[in-house]
Amino acid sequence: FYALMIDHHAGGVAMARHAADNADDPGIRNTAATMAAIQAGEITEMAHSRDDAGIPGDPAGFEPAFPDAVASTHDRSHGN
Protein backbone atom coordinates (compact mmCIF):
# COMPACT_ATOMS: atom_id res chain seq x y z
CA PHE A 1 0.00 0.00 0.00
CA TYR A 2 2.67 2.50 0.99
CA ALA A 3 4.80 1.73 -2.06
CA LEU A 4 1.84 2.24 -4.39
CA MET A 5 0.62 5.42 -2.68
CA ILE A 6 4.09 6.95 -2.57
CA ASP A 7 4.60 6.16 -6.25
CA HIS A 8 1.14 7.53 -7.07
CA HIS A 9 1.94 10.81 -5.30
CA ALA A 10 5.37 10.92 -6.94
CA GLY A 11 3.59 10.93 -10.30
CA GLY A 12 1.58 13.90 -9.12
CA VAL A 13 4.75 15.67 -8.01
CA ALA A 14 6.39 15.05 -11.39
CA MET A 15 3.36 16.36 -13.31
CA ALA A 16 2.91 19.37 -11.05
CA ARG A 17 6.60 20.29 -11.21
CA HIS A 18 6.47 20.10 -14.99
CA ALA A 19 3.45 22.40 -15.07
CA ALA A 20 5.04 24.77 -12.54
CA ASP A 21 8.12 25.03 -14.72
CA ASN A 22 6.44 25.17 -18.14
CA ALA A 23 2.91 26.55 -17.99
CA ASP A 24 2.30 29.89 -19.68
CA ASP A 25 -0.34 30.96 -17.19
CA PRO A 26 1.03 32.29 -13.86
CA GLY A 27 -2.02 30.99 -12.00
CA ILE A 28 -1.38 27.47 -13.29
CA ARG A 29 2.30 27.76 -12.38
CA ASN A 30 1.41 28.84 -8.83
CA THR A 31 -1.25 26.15 -8.38
CA ALA A 32 1.07 23.47 -9.76
CA ALA A 33 3.92 24.55 -7.48
CA THR A 34 1.58 24.39 -4.49
CA MET A 35 0.32 20.95 -5.51
CA ALA A 36 3.88 19.66 -5.92
CA ALA A 37 4.77 20.86 -2.44
CA ILE A 38 1.64 19.35 -0.88
CA GLN A 39 2.13 15.98 -2.55
CA ALA A 40 5.83 15.95 -1.65
CA GLY A 41 4.84 16.56 1.97
CA GLU A 42 2.36 13.70 1.81
CA ILE A 43 5.09 11.41 0.47
CA THR A 44 7.25 12.35 3.44
CA GLU A 45 4.36 11.70 5.86
CA MET A 46 3.65 8.30 4.32
CA ALA A 47 7.32 7.31 4.40
CA HIS A 48 7.58 8.29 8.07
CA SER A 49 4.37 6.43 8.90
CA ARG A 50 5.65 3.35 7.06
CA ASP A 51 9.00 3.55 8.84
CA ASP A 52 7.38 4.13 12.26
CA ALA A 53 5.27 1.01 11.71
CA GLY A 54 8.41 -0.99 10.94
CA ILE A 55 7.26 -1.73 7.41
CA PRO A 56 10.18 -2.17 5.01
CA GLY A 57 10.48 0.08 1.95
CA ASP A 58 9.39 -1.16 -1.42
CA PRO A 59 8.43 -4.84 -1.54
CA ALA A 60 10.59 -7.24 -3.50
CA GLY A 61 10.07 -6.83 -7.21
CA PHE A 62 8.30 -3.46 -6.93
CA GLU A 63 9.54 -0.94 -9.46
CA PRO A 64 8.27 2.59 -8.97
CA ALA A 65 6.96 4.32 -12.08
CA PHE A 66 8.47 7.62 -10.90
CA PRO A 67 11.72 6.75 -9.07
CA ASP A 68 13.33 10.12 -9.80
CA ALA A 69 10.40 12.02 -8.32
CA VAL A 70 10.41 9.89 -5.18
CA ALA A 71 14.18 10.29 -4.80
CA SER A 72 14.11 14.05 -5.28
CA THR A 73 11.20 14.38 -2.86
CA HIS A 74 13.02 12.27 -0.29
CA ASP A 75 16.17 14.34 -0.75
CA ARG A 76 14.24 17.62 -0.37
CA SER A 77 12.52 16.39 2.79
CA HIS A 78 15.91 15.65 4.35
CA GLY A 79 17.50 18.92 3.34
CA ASN A 80 19.76 17.35 0.69
Side-chain angles (χ1 to χ4, degrees), residues 19-54:
D21 291 343
N22 295 290
D24 291 332
D25 184 283
I28 298 293
R29 286 196 306 272
N30 289 336
T31 299
T34 299
M35 293 301 296
I38 290 168
Q39 293 220 348
E42 290 174 352
I43 289 171
T44 299
E45 287 179 30
M46 286 184 280
H48 286 207
S49 178
R50 178 197 62 208
D51 294 345
D52 289 347

Side-chain angles (χ1 to χ4, degrees), residues 63-74:
E63 299 210 16
F66 302 96
D68 294 338
V70 172
S72 67
T73 299
H74 178 78

